[in-house]
Amino acid sequence: MQTGEPVDFAKYEAKFKALADRKRLQIMYELTQKGCVCVCDLVDIVDMPQSKLSYHLKILLEAGLISRETRGTWSYYELNHAEVNRLLSPELCCIFRKVDIQSNDCCS
């Protein structure tokens, strides 16, 4: 961002509102652990009815924190690691960041 450019605070507000929910944080954590996950499997993993899960996924998608790929009739979700790493402090980021196998240290 260039000095003097207006900051789009609404964009950040949406991202942090998306992060400010325990169920959405759980969804993000599970996506971190399991990678790309079908919505049908995610329902069981987070123990939530599909209607409620869809609501939370929509908020995370709109905030750019996850991505979706449709394969046939199923949607697969994955954490947007680049966006999460950009937004979160190193301490919080360790919860959602994939650990580099070689260094085994995500918060360097």
Side-chain angles (χ1 to χ4, degrees), residues 52-101:
K52 286 190 179 209
L53 178 60
S54 293
Y55 167 77
H56 289 294
L57 291 170
K58 180 179 184 274
I59 290 170
L60 291 168
L61 272 169
E62 288 175 351
L65 298 172
I66 64 172
S67 61
R68 175 182 58 209
E69 179 184 345
T70 303
R71 300 178 198 160
T73 58
W74 295 107
S75 292
Y76 290 79
Y77 293 88
E78 190 169 13
L79 193 69
N80 181 347
H81 292 281
E83 186 63 17
V84 171
N85 292 347
R86 192 171 69 78
L87 283 175
L88 298 180
S89 69
E91 179 181 20
L92 291 175
C93 197
C94 284
I95 295 171
F96 302 111
R97 182 182 284 164
K98 288 188 177 183
V99 177
D100 180 359
I101 296 170

Side-chain angles (χ1 to χ4, degrees), residues 19-34:
L19 289 170
D21 181 272
R22 185 179 306 184
K23 281 295 187 182
R24 289 192 285 274
L25 290 172
Q26 180 188 4
I27 292 166
M28 291 173 62
Y29 178 77
E30 294 299 338
L31 291 175
T32 300
Q33 299 304 304
K34 297 183 178 19

